[in-house]
Amino acid sequence: MLPPGVLIRESRDTLERAFGVIAPLQPVRWVDEGIVCAPRAAGEIAGPALAHCPFVVTALPEPPGWPDPPAEMVAGWYRRGTDHVAGPDTVRELVQTRGDAFGWGNHHTTAMCLEALGDLPAGPALDAGCGSGLLTQAWLRMGRGPVLAIDIASGAVAQTQGSLDVVGLSTNAQVVCRSVTQLAPEELAGRVILANMPRDPQWILRERIGTQAPAAVLMSGLRPGEATPLVASYRELGLRPCRAARRGRWECWVLTP
């Protein structure tokens, strides 16, 4: 069983340079001797990381906290909760408030989307089915443009908005409880579409786009083979696949002009 807390003994400079090793251990506090972590708060993530930690580890008798959602490195991003320590300036981070919306980073589809953002052109984006808001926050942190984030779940909208408020990124985002069926073609034309959704909502979104091409499309949440007819439909608008990835039983595609 994992200890309730641990102290990783090393200089702060050294630990910051190796922060990717520390992040899964659930770091919650810097101290003079190093950094205090709460591995039992996310044992499935922290266990393997603790077993391979290259630094001196001292077990603590009491839990130093119970941060939630758990911290982890996802697609090059340090995804953390508000009770974790902030990452060093050299590490890109995404901060999430507590909530139960889909997409807190542990799913293959979310990770593949984060990996693919760099292949998209800058510009105003639509995060369709925003879930916990990771893609919206990443787009804003990258300075790519404003975002309209929508989800039919009020809890997802609240978590996305709360996370953006915490990190000070609300100014360039509009987060609303809304279905893709309510989107008008003129709202979608010229936008970068971020859509981590199952097949049926993907088709509804494609129908709402109509004949006015978006700037680009990132679509995930699809099983193998489900993307083929969608890609063919987007080809009619002049978009072509520039990236395709598969992880587990999921696929992620990027379509650009």
Side-chain angles (χ1 to χ4, degrees):
M1 179 180 291
L2 290 171
V6 296
L7 169 62
I8 310 299
R9 295 181 179 275
E10 189 52 82
S11 71
R12 181 161 179 164
D13 286 346
T14 298
L15 293 175
E16 286 188 339
R17 287 195 297 271
F19 199 79
V21 175
I22 304 302
L25 300 177
Q26 312 309 306
V28 294
R29 187 169 65 253
W30 289 103
V31 294
D32 291 342
E33 300 92 336
I35 192 166
V36 174
C37 302
R40 198 178 290 180
E44 188 172 305
I45 297 171
L50 189 59
H52 295 92
C53 181
F55 304 113
V56 176
V57 178
T58 301
L60 302 176
E62 300 292 334
W66 204 265
D68 180 60
E72 191 175 9
M73 296 301 299
V74 180
W77 294 84
Y78 170 43
R79 188 214 63 235
R80 68 175 178 90
T82 56
D83 295 327
H84 295 95
V85 298
D89 293 340
T90 55
V91 175
R92 299 187 301 179
E93 72 174 20
L94 300 169
V95 182
Q96 289 184 291
T97 55
R98 298 190 182 199
D100 57 3
F102 173 82
W104 58 271
N106 65 329
H107 199 276
H108 289 323
T109 61
T110 304
M112 287 192 292
C113 284
L114 288 171
E115 290 171 353
L117 290 180
D119 292 332
L120 295 164
L126 167 75
D127 188 355
C130 61
S132 67
L134 280 184
L135 299 186
T136 290
Q137 190 176 151
W139 193 256
L140 294 171
R141 282 198 178 277
M142 293 168 68
R144 307 303 292 279
V147 182
L148 169 61
I150 68 169
D151 203 293
I152 59 173
S154 59
V157 170
Q159 188 176 7
T160 296
Q161 186 65 62
S163 299
L164 294 177
D165 289 343
V166 164
V167 298
L169 290 174
S170 298
T171 302
N172 288 323
Q174 181 183 6
V175 187
V176 294
C177 193
R178 195 175 178 190
S179 167
V180 292
T181 62
Q182 300 171 307
L183 293 168
E186 55 269 23
E187 292 181 280
L188 300 170
R191 283 190 183 267
V192 177
I193 306 298
L194 312 175
N196 185 10
M197 306 185 297
R199 177 191 60 190
D200 291 348
Q202 293 278 6
W203 274 112
I204 294 172
L205 178 60
R206 172 63 187 93
E207 291 167 2
R208 300 310 299 163
I209 288 172
T211 59
Q212 302 180 68
V217 175
L218 166 63
M219 57 181 183
S220 191
L222 297 165
R223 302 289 188 178
E226 291 180 342
T228 302
L230 278 163
V231 170
S233 182
Y234 279 115
R235 282 183 181 274
E236 296 173 2
L237 300 180
L239 300 181
R240 300 289 184 271
C242 71
R243 179 189 182 106
R246 179 181 294 183
R247 192 164 302 165
R249 297 178 297 161
W250 304 97
E251 289 186 352
C252 177
W253 291 72
V254 173
L255 309 173
T256 56

